[in-house]
Amino acid sequence: MLMTWIYLASLALCYIVDNKMTRITKTEQRDRNFFMTAQMIFVIYLGCMMGFRDLSVGADTKSYVEAFEQMKHTTFASIFDSDTRAKEYLYNAVTKILYMWTENRFVFTTFFAMAFSMAYGYTVHKLSDNYFISYVVLLVLYMSFIISGMRQVAAMSILLLSYPFIKKRKFIPFLLCVALAYFFHNTSVIFVIAYFMANKKMGWLQISIIAAALILTYALPNVTTKFLYETIAWERLENYQSYDKTLNVSGFIIKMCIFVFNLYHYKAVVKKNENNLFLYNMSALGVALEAFTVIMSQAFRMSMYFSIFDTILLANVVQDFETNKQNKYSEKILTFVLVVGLLAIYYFIISQPLVYKMGIFGG
């Protein structure tokens, strides 16, 4: 829990400084240079915290480091061999380059950690109305995954930076970002959907997508399983077939509750800023994908490409509710208790709080 308190204290300090600067400069946070904000200091702290972790922190950290150390036996020719099982050439190539530069494992983990913290931080800087809430939600819902799933998080870092191309409707640059992310982790190809869903108004389309996902997973699990593993027969999905199928069902319920809460405030939040429409659509897609955890627990990993935007959407909803003078004080308190309660249930009961240990001094 020490890491949690240091994380929150550092975040609070940076947020207070940025609020002070907003009042002094009379310029909104998102309109200031990202690299000249106190948030940037927290972004660097976040990248270092994840990068300097002990091997015991994160389910897959040890295996990633072992693979990094094996790069001394790996050639670029073997990395780009078309017969390799996974076509994640760029991840392996970058890892090989890092190993050629230094064999220090902390450089390896910190490089990928910093790539995510920078990409996520910049996205939060531009889209979040309250970055303190965004980073808290990130800690509660997704920190364990972000530390564990290095390849997918590397792909996610690239996808986060593709948002400007979605907003400006530049399909080719967006597609190039997805292609780049694909060669870090193949499952990122699913993010192509984001381009076509970005500006859809919330309505029957999103409800139908979530309903269809629930029907396929709860009413027709055998048919869906056969379709995924036998009809599609994608090797990446087959790797997930043997995983525990009940791992994240409770997490899906919590995220559905958060989505419903955000949806209740949809009109006011989108009216305030039309960019929030994109966040709502990403959230809906994330919920739909995570419904598949009952037949493929690792579906939550694929849903993360979309669900990561929940951290920004929830912050914008809560911030709008807090600053809206039409809302009564008692309603604001009730809303705050509800949100904190949902996050606490997920963090302390459903998921296991991350046990963090600094590794740079001892290993």
Side-chain angles (χ1 to χ4, degrees):
M1 289 298 291
L2 179 60
M3 181 278 291
T4 300
W5 292 117
I6 295 175
Y7 179 101
L8 294 175
S10 303
L11 176 59
L13 180 60
C14 291
Y15 185 69
I16 290 170
V17 172
D18 272 329
N19 276 346
K20 183 69 174 178
M21 289 303 299
T22 296
R23 289 193 292 270
I24 293 174
T25 63
K26 297 182 180 179
T27 304
E28 290 294 328
Q29 166 81 7
R30 63 168 56 92
D31 295 327
R32 300 206 304 274
N33 189 315
F34 172 56
F35 296 99
M36 300 299 292
T37 62
Q39 184 192 347
M40 183 64 192
I41 298 174
F42 183 77
V43 164
I44 295 172
Y45 157 76
L46 177 61
C48 291
M49 181 202 77
M50 294 190 295
F52 296 159
R53 65 189 183 272
D54 187 75
L55 289 176
S56 62
V57 181
D60 300 327
T61 297
K62 186 176 181 179
S63 62
Y64 277 119
V65 170
E66 288 175 350
F68 170 71
E69 293 170 346
Q70 288 301 312
M71 280 295 165
K72 62 183 175 183
H73 305 300
T74 305
T75 64
F76 283 106
S78 63
I79 288 174
F80 290 98
D81 182 359
S82 59
D83 293 330
T84 52
R85 180 178 59 83
K87 306 300 187 290
E88 292 155 1
Y89 307 123
L90 287 180
Y91 171 79
N92 293 319
V94 170
T95 301
K96 175 64 176 178
I97 292 171
L98 289 172
Y99 187 84
M100 291 172 63
W101 178 37
T102 175
E103 298 179 11
N104 189 311
R105 71 176 178 89
F106 293 109
V107 173
F108 164 64
T109 52
T110 303
F111 174 84
F112 284 103
M114 200 65 74
F116 170 77
S117 66
M118 291 290 290
Y120 177 76
Y122 183 75
T123 304
V124 166
H125 174 72
K126 287 298 183 182
L127 295 179
S128 179
D129 293 334
N130 187 318
Y131 75 72
F132 180 87
I133 298 175
S134 292
Y135 284 105
V136 170
V137 178
L138 180 75
L139 171 69
V140 172
L141 296 184
Y142 303 128
M143 188 59 71
S144 293
F145 167 76
I146 289 167
I147 285 181
S148 297
M150 280 181 56
R151 282 182 299 122
Q152 280 181 287
V153 171
M156 188 189 302
S157 303
I158 299 170
L159 297 179
L160 284 169
L161 297 178
S162 72
Y163 169 72
F165 300 126
I166 297 176
K167 182 180 179 181
K168 297 176 182 178
R169 309 310 293 165
K170 294 184 177 181
F171 183 65
I172 298 303
F174 165 75
L175 204 58
L176 289 175
C177 286
V178 175
L180 195 64
Y182 176 83
F183 291 114
F184 277 89
H185 203 283
N186 299 159
T187 57
S188 60
V189 70
I190 199 169
F191 196 72
V192 169
I193 303 171
Y195 188 87
F196 302 99
M197 287 292 295
N199 298 323
K200 299 293 184 183
K201 292 183 178 180
M202 294 298 293
W204 286 108
L205 175 61
Q206 293 83 354
I207 294 174
S208 297
I209 290 173
I210 295 174
L214 292 173
I215 291 172
L216 288 171
T217 53
Y218 286 92
L220 302 169
N222 294 332
V223 174
T224 305
T225 301
K226 184 176 181 180
F227 177 76
L228 287 174
Y229 299 127
E230 296 181 23
T231 304
I232 296 180
W234 187 22
E235 194 169 25
R236 173 56 64 189
L237 293 182
E238 290 177 355
N239 292 335
Y240 295 153
Q241 187 173 9
S242 61
Y243 287 26
D244 182 5
K245 295 181 180 180
T246 61
L247 183 62
N248 297 288
V249 176
S250 52
F252 163 74
I253 294 173
I254 289 292
K255 290 179 185 179
M256 174 64 89
C257 291
I258 292 174
F259 174 72
V260 171
F261 169 79
N262 289 335
L263 191 60
Y264 181 76
H265 301 282
Y266 166 73
K267 289 185 178 180
V269 174
V270 172
K271 183 179 180 180
K272 180 181 180 182
N273 189 338
E274 290 187 356
N275 289 334
N276 290 323
L277 186 60
F278 167 79
L279 302 177
Y280 271 103
N281 280 296
M282 296 305 99
S283 182
L285 291 172
V287 169
L289 276 172
E290 190 148 347
F292 285 87
T293 53
V294 294
I295 58 176
M296 183 177 68
S297 67
Q298 298 304 296
F300 90 96
R301 289 176 175 260
M302 298 173 70
S303 76
M304 275 293 297
Y305 296 123
F306 305 98
S307 297
I308 191 69
F309 293 100
D310 283 345
T311 62
I312 302 174
L313 177 58
L314 183 59
N316 291 357
V317 169
V318 173
Q319 182 67 14
D320 178 73
F321 196 82
E322 172 63 27
T323 56
N324 194 328
K325 296 180 180 180
Q326 295 180 349
N327 297 319
K328 297 179 180 179
Y329 182 75
S330 59
E331 293 175 342
K332 293 179 180 181
I333 293 296
L334 182 62
T335 298
F336 177 79
V337 171
L338 175 63
V339 172
V340 171
L342 286 173
L343 295 177
I345 290 172
Y346 186 87
Y347 189 61
F348 292 107
I349 299 177
I350 294 176
S351 68
Q352 294 182 347
L354 184 68
V355 178
Y356 183 83
K357 180 181 178 182
M358 184 73 77
I360 193 169
F361 299 117

